[in-house]
Amino acid sequence: MPKNKTKPISTAIEDYLKAIWLVAQDASASTNDLALQLKISAPSVSSMLGKLREQNFVHYEPYRGVRLTEKGEREALRLLRRHRLIETFLLEHLGYDWGEVHEEAEKLEHAVSDTFTERLDTFLGHPSHDPHGDPIPTLKGKLPVTPNTPFAELSIGETLKIARLMSQDKDVLTYLKSLAIEPSKELQLVKREPVGGLVHVEIDGAETVLSKELAMLIRGEVIV
Amino acid sequence: MPKNKTKPISTAIEDYLKAIWLVAQDASASTNDLALQLKISAPSVSSMLGKLREQNFVHYEPYRGVRLTEKGEREALRLLRRHRLIETFLLEHLGYDWGEVHEEAEKLEHAVSDTFTERLDTFLGHPSHDPHGDPIPTLKGKLPVTPNTPFAELSIGETLKIARLMSQDKDVLTYLKSLAIEPSKELQLVKREPVGGLVHVEIDGAETVLSKELAMLIRGEVIV
DNA sequence: ACTTTATTTTAGTTATGCCTAAAAATAAGA
DNA sequence: TCTTATTTTTAGGCATAACTAAAATAAAGT
Ligand SMILES: [Mn+2]
Ligand SMILES: [Mn+2]
Ligand SMILES: [Mn+2]
Ligand SMILES: [Mn+2]
């Protein structure tokens, strides 16, 4: 008789699955990428990948990279849902700022039950995106579509309805907020510097300048 | 040179300290008591007690029971504060009922930071007691005083202002709630059965009967 | 006091999940 | 292609925290 015992999913495994999902959206992730992302040594990662394969969370051949199975992706998205709902709660109801949120959510995501998650979802009003526009996976594991055009790619005179700020970095998010650059706001491209990629933008009637890097992080939909 | 490295307090250690606090309020706790309370085998408990002593969380001599040091009690109360604030949040804001609350809090209490705890405390309006009247330790580790006279000890005609329901049991709490017996309510002793200890009580103008056991769980302060 | 019972500790194992050092495989450069 | 550098895996260890079986101690019963 085959041992068909379903082992519990540990905190460590959950974090690996999420890391693989983040690092290898479509392609496959390398051991090193994951070691970097998780701040764990490469040998430890290598060993864990073997265990993840045994439990059918990933496709993995030594030396050839790793990607999630359907089962693995389901778990990754379930964790991501918890993470982003928790972040939303911390920011909107407990007065957290961007520097503190992620670290707290990184721990809490492993401790909350499905019941908690769905009650929190209701409490928050079933948000589709977190406060900086990251899509919150649904209970069924679907990712709500999110306009994704980088502001950096607009033509002069065009306006972007901001949907998302593609950064986890406290300083970046705080800085953008200080410029009123937030999801649902509208941002117009006024002028582009010939060299260096600096862009002049208008938001709320005021004009500012953004680096090319920042302009790449601002995503949304071009309007009229 | 003495190794003076302060080790992190694990989830397991936290639960042991809380269990010792609960089991041995003033006296000392036996290995067996703790094994029962924690649902862990006696040998495991015995071994952990040794480690707790090494780290100065407890006074412990083999075969002679265990009690918390000041350091141990501080940690126990810090955890209890987290536990009770979390339970309050679950009950008052997420629509949990008594059957679900404790299990969720038992896990979350280990995952939340001090920052989270104090922000939650603010969010909840700095409650001194949780919804069934258990005192919430303060940030400084003080337990707010809580009237503790059992209803069972009243004389005929006396009234108890309910402060606390001394039970963790879902069925008990749900049943009492169904009778409108809750903290801050007033409960009068109408009559006592000569045998068996049944008591007739009046609350909100209605009359009911309570067993002696239940009457012992209802604590508060005798008024006028 | 002596014997039986109950409690508690010791001994030995197991499972996770991390680490460093060394070996092996792959990728890059001459 | 051959050599060097990088990446990844293997080997060996350690810490935590649980378990069962057996031994030791303490408590109760006669
Ligand atoms: Mn995050
Ligand atoms: Mn995490
Ligand atoms: Mn509780
Ligand atoms: Mn706990």
Side-chain angles (χ1 to χ4, degrees), chain A residues 1-209:
Chain A
M1 58 174 106
K3 304 203 169 190
N4 212 0
K5 199 155 49 182
T6 298
K7 282 201 277 187
I9 301 176
S10 68
T11 292
I13 287 179
E14 288 185 331
D15 276 338
Y16 273 91
L17 296 178
K18 182 151 64 85
I20 296 168
W21 189 88
L22 290 171
V23 165
Q25 274 288 39
D26 30 283
S28 77
S30 76
T31 299
N32 242 7
D33 289 345
L34 295 172
L36 261 305
Q37 169 82 19
L38 290 162
K39 289 173 185 156
I40 286 172
S41 74
S44 298
V45 171
S46 190
S47 142
M48 180 59 101
L49 292 183
K51 293 178 205 160
L52 294 179
R53 185 190 43 194
E54 270 171 30
Q55 297 184 242
N56 292 115
F57 288 120
V58 299
H59 299 290
Y60 166 61
E61 269 340 298
Y63 295 105
R64 316 186 67 178
V66 66
R67 61 198 168 77
L68 295 172
T69 60
E70 209 175 302
K71 179 186 176 191
E73 185 174 39
R74 185 165 57 242
E75 286 307 323
L77 288 172
R78 200 169 73 86
L79 184 64
L80 198 64
R81 173 172 174 77
R82 282 175 273 164
H83 185 102
R84 290 184 175 166
L85 285 170
I86 289 163
E87 284 191 344
T88 301
F89 174 67
L90 297 177
L91 282 161
E92 292 187 350
H93 293 91
L94 289 196
Y96 273 66
D97 65 53
W98 279 111
E100 312 166 296
V101 171
H102 186 76
E103 192 188 6
E104 188 89 48
E106 200 57 52
K107 290 202 73 182
L108 276 171
E109 62 186 0
H110 308 288
V112 302
S113 69
D114 288 344
T115 298
F116 181 98
T117 305
E118 299 319 313
R119 300 251 165 106
L120 182 62
D121 180 56
T122 299
F123 178 88
L124 296 172
H126 308 290
S128 64
H129 294 76
D130 78 12
H132 58 293
D134 287 344
I136 299 171
T138 67
L139 192 47
K140 297 199 157 180
K142 298 285 173 210
L143 268 181
V145 286
T146 311
N148 209 34
T149 305
F151 184 77
E153 292 177 5
L154 295 218
S155 307
I156 306 295
E158 284 187 316
T159 296
L160 190 84
K161 169 122 183 186
I162 301 172
R164 188 176 189 183
L165 307 172
M166 297 286 283
S167 173
Q168 313 285 104
D169 186 69
K170 171 216 174 89
D171 294 331
V172 168
L173 293 166
T174 305
Y175 178 62
L176 290 176
K177 186 166 187 183
S178 79
L179 298 175
I181 293 176
E182 294 177 278
S184 91
K185 287 291 191 72
E186 296 180 5
L187 191 66
Q188 188 179 18
L189 176 54
V190 175
K191 194 171 68 170
R192 209 186 283 277
E193 299 271 331
V195 280
L198 281 195
V199 290
H200 294 247
V201 307
E202 192 198 293
I203 187 164
D204 290 345
E207 207 175 303
T208 6
V209 186

Side-chain angles (χ1 to χ4, degrees), chain B residues 31-32 43 46 60 62-63:
Chain B
T31 299
N32 243 6
S46 190
Y60 166 63
Y63 295 103

